[in-house]
């Protein structure tokens, strides 16, 4: 290779690498003595309420007001139509359940044994103060003799008072039943038996099997209630939620909230007590 060719290749390589060299060169930093012109704007500025903000908030609150008179009452034709529909609906539901009265009576009669058993179990639990048994058992497990003796004494006094109350009520009920049986007419006897079957049947009804059938099947999802939300939160097993839901807890409330748009387009929450 000749010297001319070597010099030519070297020159070409220098020409190709010159853009890279210019790119990788460090930029010059501004001099410390340079002065920046303009105004300094703070990131977190304090909010200054003005007349426009107050007027916007008042206008938003006015839009949230419920009408004093329902819309359907403002027109005579609409009011008559709503009242007519309500009368027809009430008549339909009443007739629907009236035709199924024998079915409801059979359900109550079939659930009477379960209701009698539940009533008897609840009475025994109340009479012998069985709800306090876990506390007394915990005192025995911790070997706290003084606390156990105090709880036992409290339990004995409760059982004694409740036993006298039960005996007095049983004697009064027996006398009333005897008078009704001897003096009252036959329809009173049947009414008493019917009321007793209805009460025991209602007590023995399962929670997932209601007594009455649905006259109108809804086509929309059932509305979520606060009790269902509290039950769901309590089933999570979170200690903070359980403390809030306890007897001495603060509880969980559901304040009504509405959202209004501020001047800059951001949401502003306005809370109202439910």
């Amino acid at each position: 290779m000749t010297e001319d060719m070597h010099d030519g290749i070297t020159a070409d390589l220098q020409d190709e690498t010159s853009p890279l060299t210019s790119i990788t060169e460090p930029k010059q930093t501004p001099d410390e003595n340079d002065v920046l012109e303009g105004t300094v704007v703070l990131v977190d500025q304090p909010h200054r309420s003005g007349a426009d903000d107050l007027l916007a908030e008042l206008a938003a609150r006015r839009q949230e007001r419920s009408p004093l008179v329902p819309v359907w009452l403002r027109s005579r034709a609409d009011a008559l139509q709503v009242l007519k529909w309500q009368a027809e609906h009430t008549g339909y539901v009443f007739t629907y359940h009236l035709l199924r009265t024998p079915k409801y009576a059979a359900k109550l009669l079939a659930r009477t044994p379960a209701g009698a058993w539940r009533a008897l179990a609840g009475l025994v639990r109340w009479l012998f103060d069985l709800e306090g048994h876990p506390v007394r058992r915990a005192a025995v497990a911790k070997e706290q003799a003084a606390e156990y003796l105090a709880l036992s004494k409290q339990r004995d006094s409760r059982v004694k008072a409740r036993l006298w109350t039960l005996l007095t009520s049983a004697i009064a009920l027996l006398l009333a039943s005897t008078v009704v049986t001897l003096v009252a007419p036959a329809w009173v006897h049947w009414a008493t038996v019917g009321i007793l079957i209805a009460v025991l049947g209602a007590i023995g009804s399962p929670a997932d099997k209601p007594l009455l059938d649905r006259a109108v099947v809804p086509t929309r999802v059932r509305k979520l209630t606060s009790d269902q939300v509290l039950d769901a939160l309590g089933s999570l097993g979170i200690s903070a939620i359980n403390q809030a839901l306890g007897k001495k807890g603060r509880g969980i409330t559901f304040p009504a909230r509405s959202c209004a748009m501020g001047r800059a387009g951001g949401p502003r929450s306005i809370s109202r007590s439910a």
Side-chain angles (χ1 to χ4, degrees):
M1 180 180 296
T2 61
E3 292 181 359
D4 296 336
M5 295 176 63
H6 183 270
D7 295 338
I9 295 173
T10 305
D12 293 339
L13 290 176
Q14 290 178 355
D15 294 338
E16 292 177 357
T17 57
S18 58
L20 297 176
T21 305
S22 62
I23 293 176
T24 57
E25 290 181 355
K27 297 181 180 180
Q28 296 181 356
T29 57
D31 190 3
E32 296 180 355
N33 297 325
D34 294 342
V35 178
L36 299 177
E37 297 181 356
T39 58
V40 178
V41 180
L42 299 177
V43 176
D44 298 327
Q45 298 183 6
H47 177 71
R48 299 178 180 179
S49 59
D52 296 339
D53 292 341
L54 181 58
L55 294 177
E57 185 175 354
L58 293 177
R61 291 185 179 182
R62 179 180 293 274
Q63 294 178 359
E64 296 172 0
R65 292 180 180 179
S66 300
L68 297 178
V69 180
V71 179
W72 60 274
L73 279 178
R74 298 178 183 178
S75 173
R76 182 178 180 182
D78 293 343
L80 292 177
Q81 186 176 0
V82 170
L83 293 177
K84 181 181 178 181
W85 179 90
Q86 187 63 40
E88 293 178 354
H89 179 72
T90 304
Y92 174 81
V93 173
F94 178 78
T95 307
Y96 180 89
H97 291 300
L98 182 63
L99 295 176
R100 284 159 180 77
T101 302
K103 179 182 178 181
Y104 300 153
K107 280 186 176 182
L108 290 174
L109 185 61
R111 297 174 181 180
T112 297
W117 176 255
R118 288 184 182 180
L120 182 61
L123 180 62
V124 171
R125 184 177 180 85
W126 170 79
L127 178 61
F128 294 102
D129 194 21
L130 296 182
E131 63 270 12
H133 180 69
V135 181
R136 295 189 294 269
R137 189 173 181 179
V140 173
K142 295 179 182 179
E143 297 182 356
Q144 298 177 353
E147 184 178 358
Y148 174 74
L149 292 176
L151 292 174
S152 299
K153 185 177 180 180
Q154 184 184 18
R155 183 254 183 191
D156 295 340
S157 61
R158 284 182 177 180
V159 171
K160 185 178 180 180
R162 292 175 181 180
L163 182 60
W164 281 108
T165 302
L166 180 61
L167 289 176
T168 304
S169 302
I171 292 173
L173 184 60
L174 181 61
L175 293 176
S177 301
T178 304
V179 172
V180 170
T181 303
L182 297 176
V183 178
W187 67 269
V188 177
H189 300 167
W190 289 107
T192 305
V193 173
I195 292 175
L196 183 61
I197 292 176
V199 172
L200 294 179
I203 295 175
S205 297
D208 58 341
K209 295 180 179 180
L211 176 64
L212 301 180
D213 297 337
R214 286 186 176 272
V216 178
V217 179
T219 57
R220 56 186 178 182
V221 181
R222 186 176 180 182
K223 185 179 180 180
L224 186 64
T225 62
S226 59
D227 294 335
Q228 295 174 353
V229 175
L230 294 179
D231 293 340
L233 292 175
S235 63
L236 297 177
I238 302 176
S239 59
I241 296 179
N242 293 336
Q243 291 178 1
L245 294 177
K247 294 182 179 179
K248 297 183 180 179
R250 296 175 300 174
I252 298 177
T253 58
F254 299 90
R257 290 185 176 272
S258 62
C259 192
M261 301 303 293
R263 291 180 57 189
R268 182 171 60 244
S269 172
I270 304 174
S271 62
R272 302 189 304 269
S273 59

